[in-house]
Amino acid sequence: MQKMKAIIVLLVILGCKERQTPEVDSQKEIQEFEYQKLPKKLEVSAEAATILNEWPEFMAFNSSVDVLYKSTNNEDLSLAIDDLLEKEKELSASTYPEPFDSFQIKSRQRVFRTLLLKVKANVLNKSGTTETTIELLEAYNIIRQQFNSILSSQLDTKLILDEEE
């Protein structure tokens, strides 16, 4: 309870500081979305593509990411982010294909969701969205890279973990 009071007092003190208003030019510069800087989408292996093509929730999610790549301003970005949030929620609730039903994929997807919410917050706050969108797409590429990695791995996790069937 005392921690809660201390946090509230700290927030009140920090909230009372005078804030400098940024110049109009620099604020407008921050708000612009620079879609040209977005990283390219990483290709998945043919074996991974075969499995992913049979996973309808992932295909819908992937299509929404493609829409994100087509965004050229903050309004387009906002719509794409809202759609991606829905598709990511459906993806996380879906049944994962056997090789991809692992914590390696699910944890990377959680990072993606966190960055997705960060981009949405930046859009709503009208602050810089380019850097966070780049981070988001890098996280998406890491998920795709993990699909490749899982399928190309020669290690049998059951032997490593000494699990019996």
Side-chain angles (χ1 to χ4, degrees):
M1 191 65 168
Q2 288 183 348
K3 289 181 181 178
M4 180 85 98
K5 288 179 184 177
I7 291 172
I8 291 172
V9 169
L10 182 65
L11 290 174
V12 169
I13 291 172
L14 291 175
C16 293
K17 286 184 179 180
E18 281 188 40
R19 296 184 180 166
Q20 297 177 352
T21 56
E23 296 177 16
V24 177
D25 293 337
S26 64
Q27 189 175 20
K28 185 173 182 172
E29 189 175 301
I30 290 173
Q31 292 178 7
E32 292 179 8
F33 176 60
E34 299 176 29
Y35 64 93
Q36 301 91 346
K37 293 184 177 182
L38 298 180
K40 300 238 185 260
K41 189 176 359 177
L42 182 72
E43 294 298 321
V44 293
S45 66
E47 186 180 0
T50 304
I51 295 170
L52 293 174
N53 287 337
E54 296 173 3
W55 188 9
E57 292 85 1
F58 182 80
M59 293 310 294
F61 176 73
N62 193 40
S63 295
S64 292
V65 172
D66 291 340
V67 170
L68 181 69
Y69 272 101
K70 295 176 184 174
S71 301
T72 57
N73 56 40
N74 281 347
E75 291 79 22
D76 293 345
L77 183 63
S78 178
L79 292 172
I81 294 298
D82 289 339
D83 185 46
L84 257 173
L85 279 168
E86 283 182 39
K87 299 297 193 243
E88 192 281 329
K89 191 180 288 186
E90 292 170 6
L91 180 65
S92 63
S94 72
T95 303
Y96 288 69
E98 191 273 320
F100 302 141
D101 191 12
S102 67
F103 289 115
Q104 292 103 342
I105 298 296
K106 292 178 181 178
S107 64
R108 284 164 176 79
Q109 185 180 339
R110 185 166 294 243
V111 169
F112 181 85
R113 180 171 177 76
T114 302
L115 291 170
L116 194 57
L117 293 170
K118 186 177 176 183
V119 172
K120 181 164 177 71
N122 285 350
V123 169
L124 293 175
N125 292 331
K126 297 183 179 175
S127 59
T129 55
T130 304
E131 290 301 318
T132 52
T133 305
I134 290 171
E135 289 176 11
L136 175 72
L137 293 172
E138 287 173 350
Y140 178 69
N141 281 337
I142 290 171
I143 293 171
R144 293 174 68 89
Q145 181 180 5
Q146 189 62 35
F147 290 144
N148 291 338
S149 179
I150 286 173
L151 293 177
S152 67
S153 175
Q154 300 296 319
L155 298 175
D156 185 6
T157 56
K158 291 182 181 181
L159 290 176
I160 294 171
L161 298 175
D162 197 26
E163 293 180 1
E164 295 181 22
E165 293 182 8

